[in-house]
Amino acid sequence: MQCSSKIVFLLFCSLILGQSFGQDTTKTLPSIPVHRSLGENVSQTDIFSATPNIILSEERLAGLGVMDVGEALQYVPGVQLKNYGGIGGIKTISYRSLGAAHTVVMLDGNTQHDNQTGTINLSNFETFGVYTTVFSSGQPSSNDAMPSAYLPANSISIATKLLNPPSKLTMQFRQNITSVQSFETAALLQVPLGANAFIGVQGFAKYGAGTYDYVYPLLGTNEKQVRINSRILNQKMRITTGTYFKRGKIAATLFFNDNHQELPGAVILYNASNDQTIYNKDFRADLNWSSFITKKWSFALNGFGKSNFTEYNDPTFQNQQGFLKSTYKQEAIGSGIIVNRALSKSKEKVFFGFDIKTTRLYSNQLTSNPNRVQTASVVGVKKWLKKVRVEANLAHQYINDELLNSNTPKKSYSKFSPYLAVAILPFKEESINFRAFYKHAFRMPSFNDLYYNFIGNTMLEPEEAYISNLGVTYSDWFHPVGDKSNGLNIEATLDGYFNQVNNKIVAIPTKDLFNWSMQNIGKTEAFGLDFSLLAQRVKGEWKYGMSTQQSINKTVDITDPNLPAYGHQIPYTPRYNASYSGNVSYKGYQFDANLIYTGGRYTLNENIFSNFLNPFIDINLGLQKSFRIIKNWRLAVNAKVMNLLNKNYEVIKSFPMPGRYYQLTLKLSFK
């Protein structure tokens, strides 16, 4: 059975990747599977994972030509990116029709929090200096994840170079230039401090006008328009220092962000521009300590403090003052611990932990200050039972919300979030994994949901999701006996899922579009299939690769049979979307081609023609080459043509994306 499955995959990929594959695969039998380390391939699934688990390596990110994590996640099956355009535009994701608040983001093991909006803007995480980005469903894959990371349905784990101690001085510089007047400058410096200590600094700047041409027929003309109000000046710095000792490590990180930008608004009739601006000033400090107490017992301890300031200006807002200036300051502090006890076999463990954080929001738009104290605890196990891997955990969240300087009574929530997953690896060579998991997750109402503009609903209940998944993963490597310079790598996943969401948080307009009422009235069901395939061919100095991700999603509103939208596909959820990637490399030259297809979707609840948003195709081509210029210095050049077909399209209605434009990235490295 195992041999036949290998032959089927070989024949399938031979048809896709061309005649050269077919000729060589007939010569390689008998084949020997080799389990790879993480860095040897541009993309990889985890054959031992009991849940969907997609890894995007540094090489893969470079081939895709993406500048931030939000763009990279478009190539994960089941992910829908919401992109509002502009060089400083917000990017959030929906995974299998679950909102962005159901996905936790971790940067070097530190959970990123935003209780004000409930979502994390993924355009804030650049790919420069990133080793890997891992998207996991069910539970986080990191051993050092804090208990609060086990509550959401999904996780994004970003690992950067700053926490990897260098053996010698390391420097990297990157300059990105585009034809839409968008520029990025970044630098990375890592310095060893003796045998066990290190310090690293990463700086980043994004700047430019961000103007581009577009055609928008709804304006009543097919003439080219110019997208304006996208100017940005964003400066960031991250400093990390730490030390490694016999049984563990300690690291401290400081982060600072200063951002001034214009906000390109919705393109509507007679008003194709906006005058709104936003200013952000953020600071965060993290302290991490991980250690082995004994050979079997280990722990990870985290503490953080952060401050986020936002100022929003609308000089044409129609109120008595004739303008709107809103300021928000969010302060948070927290700490947590996770304890692991290794069992007899590899990757077996039991674990438990607890964390706590408190967040307070100040705003000139609020008469009282929201304050939230939140605790999370988790206990779990990962265990092998012969060929069966079992993962289970029970997470609990307690939240206490109150409005300071107010007579409003406190509101408390107490919720459990159970998770159970099973993986079966029936064959000796561990090339096929059958898996299933179930999870009950929920998201807390954000401060905006509860208190925004005096009309928030303090009685909102959490949005609860019931998630189930059945899947299979295949991963193997074939090469001629005694010849590791030739080979074929195949990775494939197929998943079917069913999600149900209760107490869906929705906004009901009241007297105008600036004031609304928040209510729990929604209920949805989601059915779908996700498929991914990666095939890589190595033949001497030639390397070929292709990958594809395909998703079919039916997510319908089942709130009330008497409502017009009952049984309709929910907004901004295409029934079908896909991505395709291919690359060829020879002697350091690499050609990349990437295509994203997003199917038609509806912008409002009712699936009628006036709410329909057309499907689109986005094709990017790139050529990259790395040169050694002098001793210890290398220069990598990556040239891209973005949106090759020059198609005007929208990810979000009335927010047009750029047509064809060009991108040049230069990276200079010293080591």
Side-chain angles (χ1 to χ4, degrees):
M1 180 178 178
Q2 182 183 12
C3 182
S4 63
S5 65
K6 292 181 178 179
I7 294 174
V8 170
F9 272 93
L10 282 170
L11 291 175
F12 179 67
C13 293
S14 298
L15 293 173
I16 296 176
L17 298 176
Q19 185 177 359
S20 63
F21 277 63
Q23 294 293 331
D24 285 327
T25 53
T26 59
K27 298 176 182 178
T28 62
L29 299 176
S31 59
I32 301 175
V34 177
H35 296 292
R36 303 160 307 283
S37 63
L38 183 62
E40 292 179 19
N41 294 295
V42 296
S43 178
Q44 185 173 310
T45 58
D46 183 356
I47 190 63
F48 298 105
S49 177
T51 66
N53 192 67
I54 302 295
I55 303 167
L56 299 175
S57 67
E58 182 181 12
E59 295 81 2
R60 173 66 165 159
L61 295 174
L64 295 175
V66 295
M67 292 293 105
D68 58 59
V69 170
E71 293 179 357
L73 291 174
Q74 294 179 101
Y75 297 89
V76 171
V79 166
Q80 275 297 118
L81 178 69
K82 293 185 177 180
N83 188 345
Y84 292 82
I87 63 175
I90 296 173
K91 296 186 179 77
T92 61
I93 65 166
S94 170
Y95 181 67
R96 297 178 172 178
S97 304
L98 295 174
H102 283 282
T103 298
V104 64
V105 180
M106 293 177 290
L107 180 65
D108 288 328
N110 295 312
T111 303
Q112 307 299 296
H113 305 278
D114 192 333
N115 281 344
Q116 181 181 337
T117 64
T119 60
I120 300 297
N121 181 6
L122 294 173
S123 68
N124 288 333
F125 300 93
E126 296 76 25
T127 56
F128 176 68
V130 170
Y131 267 133
T132 57
T133 298
V134 181
F135 183 91
S136 302
S137 187
Q139 71 173 5
S141 57
S142 171
N143 286 332
D144 294 342
M146 288 296 108
S148 57
Y150 288 85
L151 296 169
N154 315 297
S155 67
I156 301 167
S157 182
I158 305 167
T160 71
K161 298 179 180 179
L162 280 185
L163 278 188
N164 285 286
S167 58
K168 56 184 178 179
L169 177 67
T170 301
M171 291 184 287
Q172 284 189 350
F173 305 92
R174 188 184 76 174
Q175 180 65 49
N176 186 62
I177 305 168
T178 72
S179 59
V180 293
Q181 300 185 52
S182 170
F183 310 95
E184 295 180 6
T185 302
L188 175 67
L189 172 66
Q190 292 178 283
V191 182
L193 303 175
N196 300 317
F198 66 95
I199 188 170
V201 181
Q202 182 171 344
F204 177 85
K206 179 186 290 186
Y207 50 95
T211 57
Y212 54 86
D213 295 337
Y214 67 95
V215 176
Y216 199 65
L218 293 181
L219 292 178
T221 175
N222 287 322
E223 296 180 0
K224 285 186 178 180
Q225 310 291 319
V226 179
R227 188 66 159 151
I228 57 176
N229 300 107
S230 294
R231 189 173 299 276
I232 188 173
L233 175 58
N234 182 205
Q235 302 172 87
K236 302 178 185 178
M237 179 170 287
R238 190 164 173 247
I239 304 172
T240 297
T241 185
T243 181
Y244 282 72
F245 45 93
K246 185 176 181 180
R247 290 187 177 274
K249 65 179 180 180
I250 297 177
T253 302
L254 297 177
F255 171 79
F256 176 77
N257 173 49
D258 186 90
N259 180 54
H260 299 256
Q261 72 179 92
E262 298 173 332
L263 296 178
V267 176
I268 57 177
L269 192 61
Y270 308 122
N271 182 23
S273 67
N274 261 28
D275 299 308
Q276 289 90 348
T277 62
I278 194 168
Y279 168 60
N280 301 97
K281 191 172 184 177
D282 306 324
F283 175 82
R284 175 167 175 145
D286 287 281
L287 180 64
N288 300 88
W289 177 18
S290 59
S291 179
F292 280 91
I293 305 171
T294 66
K295 290 183 178 180
K296 290 186 177 294
W297 287 92
S298 64
F299 73 88
L301 182 67
N302 162 264
F304 79 93
K306 58 174 275 189
S307 173
N308 306 99
F309 174 79
T310 301
E311 179 180 295
Y312 171 80
N313 291 282
D314 184 350
T316 60
F317 188 75
Q318 296 181 3
N319 58 7
Q320 291 182 349
Q321 292 78 23
F323 69 93
L324 178 66
K325 180 178 180 179
S326 301
T327 60
Y328 300 89
K329 186 177 182 181
Q330 182 183 194
E331 296 179 342
I333 188 171
S335 65
I337 186 171
I338 193 85
V339 179
N340 297 285
R341 206 280 188 185
L343 301 178
S344 57
K345 295 182 180 178
S346 174
K347 296 186 178 182
E348 285 191 334
K349 67 172 184 176
V350 293
F351 58 94
F352 56 90
F354 174 84
D355 65 25
I356 183 172
K357 67 175 180 178
T358 179
T359 309
R360 185 171 297 179
L361 179 67
Y362 304 89
S363 173
N364 66 350
Q365 298 298 310
L366 299 174
T367 57
S368 301
N369 303 121
N371 185 75
R372 174 174 292 176
V373 178
Q374 178 176 343
T375 67
S377 55
V378 65
V379 58
V381 61
K382 295 182 179 180
K383 176 69 177 175
W384 281 102
L385 302 173
K386 294 185 178 180
K387 293 291 185 177
V388 179
R389 178 179 172 86
V390 178
E391 298 179 359
N393 70 62
L394 179 63
H396 176 263
Q397 182 173 202
Y398 174 79
I399 304 97
N400 185 79
D401 275 358
E402 64 176 322
L403 284 171
L404 303 179
N405 305 316
S406 170
N407 294 324
T408 304
K410 296 180 181 180
K411 179 68 174 180
S412 297
Y413 302 86
S414 179
K415 293 286 185 178
F416 285 95
S417 181
Y419 161 81
L420 175 64
V422 177
I424 303 173
L425 285 81
F427 304 115
K428 183 178 180 180
E429 293 180 345
E430 299 173 336
S431 58
I432 295 181
N433 171 357
F434 298 96
R435 48 192 168 75
F437 85 88
Y438 168 83
K439 182 164 187 173
H440 170 225
F442 64 96
R443 81 163 181 93
M444 284 300 304
S446 69
F447 282 163
N448 282 1
D449 296 334
L450 294 166
Y451 312 112
Y452 183 71
N453 201 42
F454 310 104
I455 311 294
N457 182 356
T458 59
M459 302 303 292
L460 282 176
E461 294 295 327
E463 184 177 294
E464 301 190 66
Y466 302 86
I467 307 160
S468 55
N469 183 94
L470 287 173
V472 58
T473 298
Y474 177 91
S475 179
D476 222 332
W477 173 263
F478 305 87
H479 63 79
V481 176
D483 181 8
K484 294 187 178 181
S485 64
N486 284 314
L488 174 64
N489 170 220
I490 303 292
E491 297 179 358
T493 66
L494 177 64
D495 287 275
Y497 61 88
F498 171 67
N499 299 337
Q500 186 178 72
V501 179
N502 295 336
N503 294 328
K504 192 171 182 63
I505 299 173
V506 296
I508 307 299
T510 55
K511 62 181 182 180
D512 56 43
L513 293 180
F514 186 70
N515 296 277
W516 56 74
S517 174
M518 306 302 300
Q519 297 182 21
N520 290 116
I521 62 172
K523 188 174 183 180
T524 63
E525 287 184 344
F527 307 81
L529 288 173
D530 292 333
F531 170 74
S532 71
L533 171 67
L534 167 72
Q536 296 180 103
R537 169 69 162 151
V538 180
K539 186 179 181 182
E541 294 189 84
W542 286 91
K543 295 181 181 179
Y544 313 88
M546 64 80 63
S547 66
T548 182
Q549 292 79 35
Q550 314 273 332
S551 294
I552 300 173
N553 183 323
K554 181 181 180 182
T555 304
V556 294
D557 184 347
I558 58 170
T559 303
D560 186 346
N562 297 317
L563 295 178
Y566 182 80
H568 289 202
Q569 188 84 348
I570 67 173
Y572 290 106
T573 305
R575 292 288 180 94
Y576 173 74
N577 66 283
S579 66
Y580 302 85
S581 300
N583 62 77
V584 179
S585 61
Y586 177 71
K587 291 186 176 180
Y589 288 92
Q590 180 166 314
F591 172 77
D592 300 285
N594 304 297
L595 180 151
I596 290 177
Y597 173 82
T598 298
R601 56 248 186 257
Y602 295 90
T603 60
L604 295 175
N605 294 331
E606 291 188 61
N607 295 176
I608 57 178
F609 178 77
S610 60
N611 295 333
F612 186 73
L613 199 59
N614 290 323
F616 66 86
I617 294 177
D618 187 7
I619 300 177
N620 305 322
L621 302 179
L623 180 65
Q624 54 181 305
K625 169 65 175 170
S626 178
F627 306 87
R628 182 179 297 277
I629 49 178
I630 56 176
K631 184 179 180 180
N632 298 328
W633 287 92
R634 295 193 68 87
L635 176 66
V637 181
N638 191 334
K640 289 276 185 181
V641 181
M642 313 297 286
N643 193 357
L644 178 70
L645 301 180
N646 196 29
K647 296 292 186 180
N648 284 112
Y649 66 91
E650 304 159 276
V651 179
I652 302 296
K653 185 178 181 179
S654 302
F655 287 82
M657 302 296 290
R660 184 187 303 117
Y661 68 99
Y662 305 93
Q663 175 178 292
L664 177 65
T665 304
L666 306 174
K667 186 168 74 173
L668 183 64
S669 303
F670 171 84
K671 189 173 183 180

